[in-house]
Amino acid sequence: MRQILYIALLLLASLSCGALEVTRMTCEMSDSPLAIPTASPRFGWQLAGDNGAKQSAYQIEVFAEKGKKSVRVWNSQKVPSSRSQLVAYAGPALEPMTRYTWRVKVWDEKGKASAWSSPAEFRVAPAGDFLTGDWIGAVSYEQAALPEGRGYTYDKWKIPEVKEAWERVDSMTNRSILLRTDFDLPKKVADATVYVCGLGHYELSINGRKVGDGEFTPLWSDYDKTVYFNTYDVTGMVREGENAMGVLLGNGFYNVVRGSRYSKLLVGFGPETLWLKMVINYTDGSSEVIATGDDWKYDLSPITFHSIYGGEDYDARLEQPGWNMAGFDDSKWHPVVVQRAPKGKLTPQMAPPVKIMEYFPVKSRHKLTPEEVAAATKSTKRTVDPSAILLDMGQNLAGFPEITLQGKPGQKVTMVMSEGITDENAANQRQTGRQHYYTYTLRSDKPETWHPRFSYYGFRYIQLEGAVFPGEPNPDGLPVVEDIKSCFIYNSAAEGGEFECSSPVLTAAHKLIRNAVRSNMQSVFTDCPHREKLGWLEQVHLNGPGLLYNYDLTSYLPKVLRDIADSQRPNGMVPTVAPQYVIFEWEGMEGFAESPEWAATLIIAPWMYYETYGDDSLISEYYPNMVAYVDYLATRAEDNLLDFGLGDWYDYGDFRAGFSRNTPVGLVASAQYYMDLIYMVKAAELLGKTDDAARFAALAEKVKESFNRKYFDPTTNDYGTGSQASNALPLFLGMVPDDKRQSVIDNLVGDIREHGTRLTTGDVGNRYLFRALADNGLDSLMYEMHNHYDTPGYGFQLQYGATTLTEQWDPRQGSSWNHFMMGQIDEWFFRSLAGIKTDLSSPGMQHLVIKPSVVGDLTSVRGRTATLYGDVEVAWARAGDDFSINITLPANVTADVFLPGNSEPVAVSSGRHTLSSKIK
């Protein structure tokens, strides 16, 4: 019998050998989503197979899971197609909140069928009346008395009527609260799903266990337009009989608290509020909904102060053990107030949550001397405790500390965070927003572990006060630290990019950029994780290719576009930040209010998304917004040119960086206007809007004519001032007359040489300088410009101990050591050095162009990026004139490979390939 079974298994293995295998399966490009916002989902799957494996057909089946029954609702039948991403559902209407499973099988290029995949799950988000119901909290909107409007900043705080208005805010509005309810489940549970929104942020627990592993949920938004809810399958957390739910609420950006600490702004969308519905399906086919209502109760939480900008205080003596468990005595708690709903539309959150992604232990520590304590008290403008210890955690990051310590009830420790230190070895927050700190008051004499819930900061150093480390003198009987670490928080969008090369500078530069991106990849792409935390928009498109090479932005980037659309004014204007928590409207700040290079993310990002993922849904959805914006720009133009905004922000020279100094603001704004129009032509053509395409093309031609008439000097063959940004922008955009193109290139190269083969560009000009050089065969010059330790350059930051990308090329002059806006070179690493390029004639990266640049003294490069189809990896090496390259492509993907010295490409398909050539 065993022998027969063994032979049968061998036969089965031989039959399946070489067949394609379905691996990762997605719905709306997400893994097993619980609340997709469409009833017409698109499916995707990755494949594994032998070299050259390619799909020739597929078949999909979708099933509705109701209780113990599984009913097939759609069978696509066999469809001849190589398409394995964004395959549209074409069955009968799907029901919200129903659990669906689906499976797929495929046929390879030889017509051989795979096995059916394992089933994957998805659910359609609730809609209609389900998204109504009670929002609850501690105070009503009227009682809260929050001033209307947003972005009250330092220019307004001292205005008497503004100050008085904020002083009238009810104190309960600023306090963190706990909410709870008990509920009984009389029958055996088949499945349970929670839909929850707690504003500003919440932490949900069921029967004492935290639900999910997100921090700062839900993601930030313009709460007057969009409010996100999260969905969790909590089947394994509830039980037949008595149960309890508890929710901890914090303010976040929903109500920014100032107190006596640092705050960039004040904004009050409303008091803390909670909406929740739990759907229980029983095994007998019945169901019920448990929801927020006036039967819930609330009490103050142990968080006595919290601010997204200022920090957090926690008094563990105020904890109420078992508060989120069944049977807890809540007789002294207060009835909740049923509040009015937020103005924004309740929307399922598809983008990934922010999580604690990494931990960093103490690298070194220094006990401040009495002299240092006295001096630091003056320099930091706060009383530094004599017990102060400076901890170097070794990595600058966005996050908060987590501490475990043991002491006596009532003892308090303070943690002051910073990314730099003063001359006295104390935490220095002068440039990043002070005062920001955390305090923790012990509950017992047992070891206790804590980290903040509703505040974070950008820091490398922790100044610990009121505690000692084991083995250290402790005459005052201070609490003893058993452990302390940095929690690195960032968006949990999957990372799929890797880059390294034989140049230590460039490899380290990629790491600097990576850590800065992570630090600022929160609910939005922030500028910095400390003083602002605002979603400055230019970073998204200027760093867009690098971001897309490194991260899965399939569900994150649509959220960014939603933020922008929500911030757009009725006249079409798009501000510089989204969500727009602050309006830069005072004198001298006009450039910060709106700038064409910032707003361009609305138009450019959807196209980058389309090129990377083959998905034109963002272009289609936001096309009306895009049209409204370029039409608005037309109202600001004179002779078809613009002359406002920030220009090439933070360009480089013998001056402190800030507003563009090397390049005319109007030149940069008008070039951006032309770029927007070119993208609008492409978008209109893609959507079949021929009249729009013709209109935008005609206007683009007028802009180019006016641009060349005003900014091009035919005698010098320079644009504008002849700066690098002045010439790089029109070169990249194809605005230069054909007979003048080489002369402008020569001038650009000449200016780079005149500056010691160094750049003079800033936030905007960097990308266009880098692309202008790469697109014109000047990668060797790019390498020479960046493979060094001088300023301006990434290597100079390394010389000064930076572990994240700094705001200025010279970090000694900048106010932040954790910005990613200058990280545009990541695009060059992947696109030019590794040579991984999207075939623009075939968006989606199912077909690639691989054309590595072999430059300078580089001897090796390796780059990897994750596509919808799987990982693409390129690794090349050279020794003298000998060049070899290893290319790995996922199944169902092809590429044209251009080897150095060869003008004709080599066609390769899926699998691993090794090619070689002579460098001529």
Side-chain angles (χ1 to χ4, degrees):
M1 185 66 182
R2 287 184 179 179
Q3 187 175 10
I4 294 174
L5 180 60
Y6 179 68
I7 293 172
L9 289 172
L10 282 178
L11 179 60
L12 182 62
S14 66
L15 289 173
S16 62
C17 181
L20 284 171
E21 177 187 359
V22 178
T23 55
R24 183 192 178 203
M25 299 169 63
T26 60
C27 178
E28 285 301 300
M29 296 184 282
S30 296
D31 298 293
S32 300
L34 297 178
I36 58 173
T38 176
S40 301
R42 298 165 299 172
F43 302 111
W45 54 90
Q46 294 179 1
L47 299 168
D50 297 334
N51 272 24
K54 185 177 181 181
Q55 176 186 299
S56 63
Y58 66 83
Q59 182 178 357
I60 298 173
E61 291 184 335
V62 177
F63 301 85
E65 307 294 338
K66 298 185 176 182
K68 296 181 179 180
K69 294 183 179 180
S70 181
V71 181
R72 188 171 69 185
V73 296
W74 182 53
N75 182 355
S76 72
Q77 305 299 331
K78 184 178 180 181
V79 179
S81 173
S82 64
R83 192 179 186 92
S84 58
Q85 294 293 333
L86 303 174
V87 178
Y89 171 79
L94 298 173
E95 299 175 1
M97 298 186 291
T98 296
R99 179 171 171 258
Y100 291 98
T101 59
W102 68 285
R103 64 178 187 170
V104 62
K105 73 174 178 177
V106 301
W107 285 260
D108 66 13
E109 72 282 0
K110 298 177 182 178
K112 190 174 185 178
S114 73
W116 281 105
S117 68
S118 299
E121 180 180 347
F122 72 94
R123 305 184 206 181
V124 178
D129 290 343
F130 187 89
L131 296 181
T132 61
D134 290 339
W135 291 78
I136 60 173
V139 295
S140 68
Y141 277 74
E142 293 73 24
Q143 182 183 347
L146 284 163
E148 293 187 5
R150 64 182 70 193
Y152 291 91
T153 48
Y154 57 83
D155 64 311
K156 296 179 179 178
W157 288 342
K158 295 181 180 179
I159 299 174
E161 54 267 33
V162 173
K163 183 179 180 181
E164 291 171 7
W166 282 97
E167 288 175 348
R168 287 194 297 269
V169 173
D170 190 287
S171 61
M172 275 300 302
T173 305
N174 299 332
R175 287 298 302 272
S176 169
I177 60 173
L178 304 172
L179 302 104
R180 72 175 310 277
T181 190
D182 290 304
F183 59 98
D184 185 73
L185 302 180
K187 294 176 281 189
K188 189 175 181 180
V189 175
D191 63 77
T193 306
V194 168
Y195 304 90
V196 56
C197 175
L199 300 176
H201 297 303
Y202 71 89
E203 190 172 285
L204 168 67
S205 55
I206 297 178
N207 295 325
R209 294 167 54 197
K210 179 180 175 179
V211 177
D213 56 357
E215 305 287 334
F216 302 97
T217 51
L219 299 180
W220 310 334
S221 62
D222 182 330
Y223 302 104
D224 283 347
K225 301 289 183 63
T226 300
V227 174
Y228 290 108
F229 68 85
N230 301 107
T231 308
Y232 304 98
D233 185 331
V234 295
T235 306
M237 302 181 75
V238 297
R239 55 186 177 242
E240 186 175 351
E242 294 183 349
N243 295 264
M245 273 188 288
V247 179
L248 170 66
L249 283 185
N251 281 320
F253 270 109
Y254 193 63
N255 171 30
V256 177
V257 177
R258 185 183 179 200
S260 60
R261 306 193 195 177
Y262 171 72
S263 185
K264 174 72 176 177
L265 52 91
L266 295 175
V267 60
F269 289 95
E272 292 172 1
T273 188
L274 173 69
W275 173 90
L276 179 149
K277 288 190 177 181
M278 176 191 284
V279 178
I280 305 290
N281 293 314
Y282 296 106
T283 54
D284 65 0
S286 63
S287 63
E288 69 171 306
V289 176
I290 298 164
T292 44
D294 58 11
D295 56 330
W296 286 57
K297 290 187 173 183
Y298 85 89
D299 204 355
L300 293 175
S301 88
I303 300 172
T304 57
F305 175 86
H306 66 298
S307 165
I308 196 72
Y309 283 115
E312 189 165 314
D313 298 335
Y314 189 92
D315 189 340
R317 296 172 299 177
L318 302 178
E319 291 179 349
Q320 302 183 53
W323 71 276
N324 51 5
M325 302 284 285
F328 175 76
D329 181 7
D330 61 8
S331 59
K332 295 182 180 180
W333 284 40
H334 315 283
V336 297
V337 174
V338 176
Q339 303 161 324
R340 71 169 174 83
K343 295 178 182 178
K345 180 182 178 181
L346 200 53
T347 304
Q349 178 183 309
M350 287 292 289
V354 173
K355 298 181 181 181
I356 299 175
M357 302 295 287
E358 299 177 68
Y359 295 92
F360 289 85
V362 177
K363 185 177 180 181
S364 65
R365 63 179 191 254
H366 168 75
K367 175 73 171 66
L368 270 67
T369 67
E371 295 76 17
E372 289 174 329
V373 168
T377 294
K378 294 180 180 179
S379 67
T380 63
K381 295 187 177 182
R382 66 174 293 273
T383 301
V384 177
D385 192 85
S387 64
I389 305 169
L390 186 76
L391 309 177
D392 183 355
M393 310 305 287
Q395 176 62 56
N396 199 10
L397 52 78
F400 40 69
E402 181 174 281
I403 190 168
T404 300
L405 70 167
Q406 186 172 3
K408 300 174 183 177
Q411 290 183 313
K412 183 171 73 174
V413 296
T414 300
M415 289 164 282
V416 182
M417 330 304 294
S418 69
E419 61 178 20
I421 58 176
T422 68
D423 293 339
E424 305 86 21
N425 294 309
N428 186 1
Q429 296 178 341
R430 182 175 179 272
Q431 298 280 12
T432 54
R434 63 185 183 193
Q435 306 293 327
H436 180 108
Y437 56 87
Y438 308 108
T439 69
Y440 178 80
T441 302
L442 282 85
R443 178 184 73 250
S444 68
D445 58 0
K446 303 292 191 301
E448 298 174 21
T449 299
W450 175 80
H451 69 69
R453 294 302 192 275
F454 302 124
S455 187
Y456 77 99
Y457 203 65
F459 70 97
R460 171 175 174 168
Y461 301 95
I462 302 174
Q463 184 173 303
L464 179 65
E465 299 177 0
V468 300
F469 281 83
E472 296 296 323
N474 191 11
D476 299 322
L478 299 176
V480 178
V481 176
E482 295 186 0
D483 186 33
I484 186 168
K485 51 196 172 190
S486 295
C487 302
F488 196 175
I489 65 160
Y490 49 89
N491 195 278
S492 56
E495 184 176 10
E498 293 180 0
F499 174 82
E500 60 184 355
C501 67
S502 58
S503 164
V505 174
L506 300 187
T507 300
H510 171 68
K511 293 179 180 178
L512 286 180
I513 297 166
R514 177 174 176 253
N515 284 325
V517 168
R518 288 173 162 184
S519 294
N520 289 287
M521 194 173 173
Q522 302 293 327
S523 292
V524 301
F525 282 114
T526 62
D527 59 329
C528 58
H530 28 61
R531 71 169 191 263
E532 291 199 25
K533 298 185 172 80
L534 296 176
W536 291 91
L537 294 176
E538 91 291 359
Q539 303 175 114
V540 179
H541 77 89
L542 292 170
N543 287 277
L547 295 171
L548 289 161
Y549 275 121
N550 283 285
Y551 297 94
D552 178 354
L553 300 184
T554 49
S555 57
Y556 187 101
L557 204 52
K559 194 267 181 189
V560 174
L561 268 295
R562 181 70 172 263
D563 290 336
I564 298 172
D566 284 351
S567 74
Q568 190 171 21
R569 303 285 176 81
N571 66 353
M573 189 274 272
V574 174
T576 52
V577 296
Q580 194 178 21
Y581 295 137
V582 58
I583 300 174
F584 300 102
E585 57 186 4
W586 60 95
E587 186 177 353
M589 299 297 285
E590 294 82 4
F592 292 103
E594 61 167 316
S595 188
E597 308 81 10
W598 274 243
T601 290
L602 171 63
I603 293 172
I604 299 173
W607 198 267
M608 290 181 172
Y609 190 85
Y610 173 54
E611 290 177 346
T612 303
Y613 302 123
D615 180 6
D616 63 4
S617 62
L618 296 185
I619 298 174
S620 177
E621 180 176 359
Y622 294 105
Y623 183 79
N625 302 82
M626 296 156 67
V627 171
Y629 180 61
V630 293
D631 285 349
Y632 164 77
L633 289 181
T635 69
R636 297 292 309 269
E638 294 185 14
D639 188 24
N640 301 306
L641 299 178
L642 303 177
D643 194 11
F644 69 93
L646 295 171
D648 190 17
W649 175 250
Y650 260 57
D651 53 358
Y652 184 79
D654 56 354
F655 46 80
R656 186 178 177 87
F659 287 97
S660 180
R661 300 276 289 275
N662 298 324
T663 306
V665 166
L667 184 152
V668 180
S670 298
Q672 186 65 67
Y673 183 28
Y674 176 78
M675 188 188 306
D676 291 347
L677 290 167
I678 294 302
Y679 275 105
M680 291 305 300
V681 172
K682 295 162 65 175
E685 290 175 344
L686 180 71
L687 299 178
K689 299 179 182 295
T690 54
D691 290 346
D692 281 358
R695 177 168 73 93
F696 294 132
L699 181 54
E701 189 61 30
K702 292 178 181 177
V703 171
K704 183 167 71 171
E705 290 173 359
S706 296
F707 185 90
N708 282 328
R709 184 166 56 248
K710 179 172 182 178
Y711 290 112
F712 183 63
D713 185 339
T715 59
T716 64
N717 295 316
D718 270 321
Y719 281 84
T721 58
S723 68
Q724 293 170 22
S726 292
N727 285 327
L729 269 161
L731 279 171
F732 172 77
L733 292 171
M735 303 176 79
V736 183
D738 290 342
D739 62 334
K740 297 291 186 177
R741 185 173 182 83
Q742 189 57 53
S743 297
V744 176
I745 292 172
D746 291 343
N747 285 345
L748 175 61
V749 173
D751 187 84
I752 293 170
R753 294 297 187 193
E754 286 176 14
H755 286 90
T757 318
R758 300 293 182 262
L759 56 77
T760 62
T761 47
D763 183 16
V764 177
N766 287 341
R767 183 182 184 231
Y768 304 119
L769 171 64
F770 299 168
R771 280 295 304 267
L773 294 176
D775 294 351
N776 287 282
L778 295 168
D779 283 315
S780 292
L781 180 57
M782 264 291 290
Y783 180 72
E784 191 176 348
M785 284 172 60
H786 295 288
N787 187 42
H788 58 79
Y789 289 97
D790 301 327
T791 187
Y794 300 95
F796 189 75
Q797 300 182 24
L798 296 168
Q799 293 287 82
Y800 276 82
T803 60
T804 48
L805 191 62
T806 65
E807 184 176 16
Q808 286 206 32
W809 287 117
D810 187 342
R812 298 169 298 181
Q813 298 179 18
S815 54
S816 166
W817 279 39
N818 202 342
H819 265 63
F820 79 96
M821 69 180 185
M822 297 295 195
Q824 301 93 334
I825 198 172
D826 237 22
E827 176 183 9
W828 184 69
F829 291 158
F830 287 88
R831 190 176 187 275
S832 289
L833 295 188
I836 304 171
K837 297 178 173 69
T838 300
D839 180 355
L840 298 183
S841 67
S842 179
M845 300 186 76
Q846 190 170 10
H847 180 74
L848 300 167
V849 175
I850 297 176
K851 189 176 183 180
S853 292
V854 182
V855 296
D857 58 357
L858 278 181
T859 57
S860 65
V861 168
R862 185 181 74 87
R864 179 180 70 85
T865 187
T867 74
L868 290 183
Y869 302 90
D871 288 354
V872 172
E873 184 168 334
V874 172
W876 61 258
R878 67 164 169 175
D881 293 336
D882 295 322
F883 174 86
S884 64
I885 186 169
N886 291 316
I887 298 169
T888 302
L889 301 177
N892 217 27
V893 170
T894 57
D896 289 328
V897 182
F898 289 83
L899 299 173
N902 295 353
S903 58
E904 294 298 319
V906 177
V908 298
S909 53
S910 63
R912 182 178 174 85
H913 306 272
T914 300
L915 305 173
S916 61
S917 68
K918 290 287 187 181
I919 301 174
K920 299 178 182 178

